Amino acid sequence: AQSVTQLDSHVSVSEGTPVLLRCNYSSSYSPSLFWYVQHPNKGLQLLLKYTSAATLVKGINGFEAEFKKSETSFHLTKPSAHMSDAAEYFCVVSDLDRGGADGLTFGKGTHLIIQP
Amino acid sequence: DAGVTQSPTHLIKTRGQQVTLRCSPISGHKSVSWYQQVLGQGPQFIFQYYEKEERGRGNFPDRFSARQFPNYSSELNVNALLLGDSALYLCASSTPDAGFHEQFFGPGTRLTVL
């Protein structure tokens, strides 16, 4: 079985400061990991993905995440927050060995607030 | 290129009624998945279809059913609606080239059950 725990339901940072959104995963097989972003009244947009290649993954809009197997973590970071980053962020896991038949498993989300 | 499209955008139903939601995948994508997103939660997997066959099913009651058509579009049906079925229903398309893992989401259908 696969699961994801997002460690913070809300994160508030000032514009121009670093962002850290934390995620731990559990997977019986080799995981594929993703971060998605959801802006209000908009669809889910893929930020970045890890699929057993490089452990440091770069995504869109300056975001990146590092896969740490020993810590079962996949934290999302950005060096400098922008007002447009305010949104809901979801950490997502999919078991590679199950061929995706179990669908994507989403965390409960982290609401990112950017203070001016 | 058009992304994943869903219809209708919004829907209001009463308890006990039945509803059908529709989804068209990205051109060339032969797999469609459905998710339910209750307010304040992450999406939950309902079904995945590939080449008109059900590939996977989440933990949802039999009131939920789906099908995929020869043109790879899909319908999600929910019978005997409950208040708790009020949610955003998301459709996502994917291909086996990426192992079905990378999924592209539509804007969703907002279902309200009164």
Side-chain angles (χ1 to χ4, degrees), chain B residues 46-60:
Chain B
I46 309 175
F47 287 110
Q48 185 183 80
Y49 276 77
Y50 174 62
E51 294 274 15
K52 298 177 288 179
E53 297 290 326
E54 182 184 300
R55 260 193 105 238
R57 171 188 284 252
N59 188 24
F60 278 80

Side-chain angles (χ1 to χ4, degrees), chain B residues 85-113:
Chain B
D85 295 331
S86 295
L88 180 68
Y89 287 85
L90 296 163
C91 173
S93 74
S94 59
T95 74
D97 302 344
F100 300 101
H101 301 286
E102 185 170 351
Q103 299 190 9
F104 299 85
F105 285 84
T109 293
R110 173 78 59 189
L111 173 64
T112 302
V113 182

